[in-house]
């Protein structure tokens, strides 16, 4: 398989795994779990499994500045992104929060241009427009009362995620994606364990709760993050961030199939727009 096509395939895998997270979370909520418990066990279970794998394989952990960067990415940036995201959802709802979060491909592109001096092709700009417009179509826009702090949280989630992606592009160069992912996830687990120790967290108490928690930890955390870092090393941060908006399509489609949520004409057009952008980037990656 062509290496760049492999990168495209991996980012679609990552987006699909991420896209399932709201579905798993919906079932987890129905089973009685709270958001704080889901986040803590999401990262803790994933960190334990990945560290066990590394120890069994006898791999060596990153050292020095690379280790510090990766741990910072998890303990600060990824944790802050999760906190900002859920705080925004609580204040302004999922639709507007999702639109604000999906500003991150634009932010990644702009930061790459102005800070990293990366040259952007015309196809990149066109694909960026398609993904941005498509994302807004998919989630829809239903604004009633604007909550300023909620807007700040939503934009902060996009900014934290953008910096996380760009820092990961630098920190992960030449590093096994599994090793890098392990440190990042362990950093996030550290933060949420500290938070849980401070406020108190309820353990999952039945089979359903453990099932959905493990699904989030393995599929929507381990698989999604390892696949994203692997793809990022091949196709770069800009393309990875834009193609990963495919997760919106996954979430919407399976919400319709499994949770019986409505999919309108606007959402269908947005899905087509995102898919078209992914095809453009895939063709460019293969050139």
């Amino acid at each position: 398989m062509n290496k760049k096509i492999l990168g495209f395939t991996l980012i679609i895998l990552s987006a699909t795994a991420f896209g399932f997270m709201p579905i798993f979370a919906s079932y987890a909520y129905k089973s009685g779990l709270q958001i704080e418990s889901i986040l803590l066990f999401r990262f803790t279970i994933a960190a334990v499994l990945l560290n066990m794998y590394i120890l069994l394989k006898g791999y060596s952990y990153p050292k020095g500045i690379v280790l510090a960067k990766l741990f910072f990415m998890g303990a600060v940036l990824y944790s802050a992104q999760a906190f900002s995201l859920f705080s925004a959802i609580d204040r302004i709802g999922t639709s507007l929060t999702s639109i604000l979060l999906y500003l991150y491909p634009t932010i990644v592109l702009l930061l790459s241009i102005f800070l990293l001096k990366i040259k952007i092709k015309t196809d990149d700009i066109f694909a960026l427009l398609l993904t941005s417009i498509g994302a807004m179509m998919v989630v829809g826009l239903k604004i009633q009362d604007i909550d300023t702090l909620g807007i700040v949280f939503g934009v902060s989630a996009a900014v934290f995620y953008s910096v996380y992606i760009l820092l990961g592009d630098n920190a992960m160069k030449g590093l096994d994606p599994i090793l890098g992912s392990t440190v990042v996830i362990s950093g996030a687990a550290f933060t949420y364990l500290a938070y849980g120790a401070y406020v108190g967290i309820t353990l999952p108490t039945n089979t359903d709760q453990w099932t959905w928690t493990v699904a989030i930890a393995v599929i929507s955390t381990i698989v999604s993050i390892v696949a994203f870092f692997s793809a990022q090393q091949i196709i770069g941060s800009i393309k990875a961030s834009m193609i990963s908006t495919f997760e919106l399509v996954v979430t919407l489609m399976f919400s319709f199939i499994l949770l019986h949520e409505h999919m309108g004409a606007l959402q269908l057009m947005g899905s087509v727009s995102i898919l078209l952008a992914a095809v453009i980037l895939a063709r460019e990656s293969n050139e």
Side-chain angles (χ1 to χ4, degrees):
M1 180 184 292
N2 181 282
K3 191 174 182 181
K4 290 182 178 179
I5 291 297
L6 174 61
F8 174 78
T9 303
L10 285 169
I11 201 63
I12 290 295
L13 172 63
S14 173
T16 301
F18 269 129
F20 270 107
M21 184 157 59
I23 309 298
F24 296 148
S26 178
Y27 286 117
Y29 296 149
K30 290 176 182 178
S31 72
L33 279 175
Q34 299 299 312
I35 291 174
E36 295 83 2
S37 296
I38 294 171
L39 287 173
L40 188 153
F41 289 104
R42 170 195 179 190
F43 290 116
T44 301
I45 292 171
V48 169
L49 292 175
L50 282 172
N51 279 286
M52 286 176 61
Y53 176 81
I54 287 175
L55 291 173
L56 288 173
K57 287 290 186 178
Y59 294 154
S60 297
Y61 288 92
K63 297 179 177 62
I65 189 66
V66 174
L67 177 64
K69 283 182 180 180
L70 292 169
F71 191 82
F72 173 81
M73 284 169 58
V76 178
L77 295 176
Y78 208 60
S79 297
Q81 189 269 351
F83 174 80
S84 297
L85 183 66
F86 283 104
S87 296
I89 290 172
D90 183 52
R91 302 184 73 95
I92 61 177
T94 56
S95 293
L96 184 53
T97 298
S98 297
I99 290 173
L100 293 174
L101 175 63
Y102 280 90
L103 289 172
Y104 83 83
T106 303
I107 296 171
V108 169
L109 178 62
L110 294 175
L111 288 176
S112 297
I113 293 172
F114 292 109
L115 298 181
L116 304 180
K117 309 301 182 184
I118 292 176
K119 293 182 179 179
I120 306 301
K121 298 179 181 179
T122 303
D123 283 351
D124 291 332
I125 300 295
F126 183 55
L128 174 61
L129 290 173
L130 284 174
T131 53
S132 299
I133 294 170
M136 286 188 284
M137 287 181 174
V138 166
V139 299
L141 183 57
K142 299 176 181 178
I143 304 175
Q144 294 177 348
D145 298 320
I146 297 296
D147 184 316
T148 303
L149 185 56
I151 297 294
V152 171
F153 276 131
V155 174
S156 295
V159 172
F160 282 129
Y161 197 45
S162 300
V163 177
Y164 164 85
I165 288 171
L166 288 176
L167 186 58
D169 197 22
N170 176 266
M172 290 293 297
K173 285 182 179 177
L175 183 65
D176 187 319
I178 293 180
L179 289 174
S181 300
T182 299
V183 178
V184 168
I185 292 171
S186 297
F190 173 83
T191 297
Y192 280 104
L193 281 168
Y195 174 77
Y198 178 73
V199 302
I201 295 292
T202 303
L203 281 167
T205 56
N206 58 52
T207 302
D208 281 350
Q209 291 181 350
W210 279 114
T211 297
W212 300 120
T213 300
V214 171
I216 292 170
V218 174
I219 298 173
S220 299
T221 303
I222 294 177
V223 172
S224 58
I225 293 176
V226 171
F228 184 90
F229 281 144
S230 299
Q232 187 180 44
Q233 290 183 348
I234 300 172
I235 63 177
S237 299
I238 297 170
K239 289 183 176 62
S241 64
M242 286 192 284
I243 299 173
S244 66
T245 57
F246 178 72
E247 71 185 70
L248 280 173
V249 180
V250 173
T251 301
L252 190 68
M253 180 172 64
F254 283 96
S255 293
F256 176 75
I257 294 172
L258 300 176
L259 303 179
H260 308 294
E261 294 182 359
H262 178 66
M263 181 187 292
L266 192 63
Q267 285 73 30
L268 287 173
M269 288 189 292
S271 300
V272 171
S273 179
I274 292 172
L275 288 171
L276 179 59
V279 170
I280 291 171
L281 292 172
R283 289 183 61 188
E284 184 183 338
S285 297
N286 197 36
E287 292 176 356

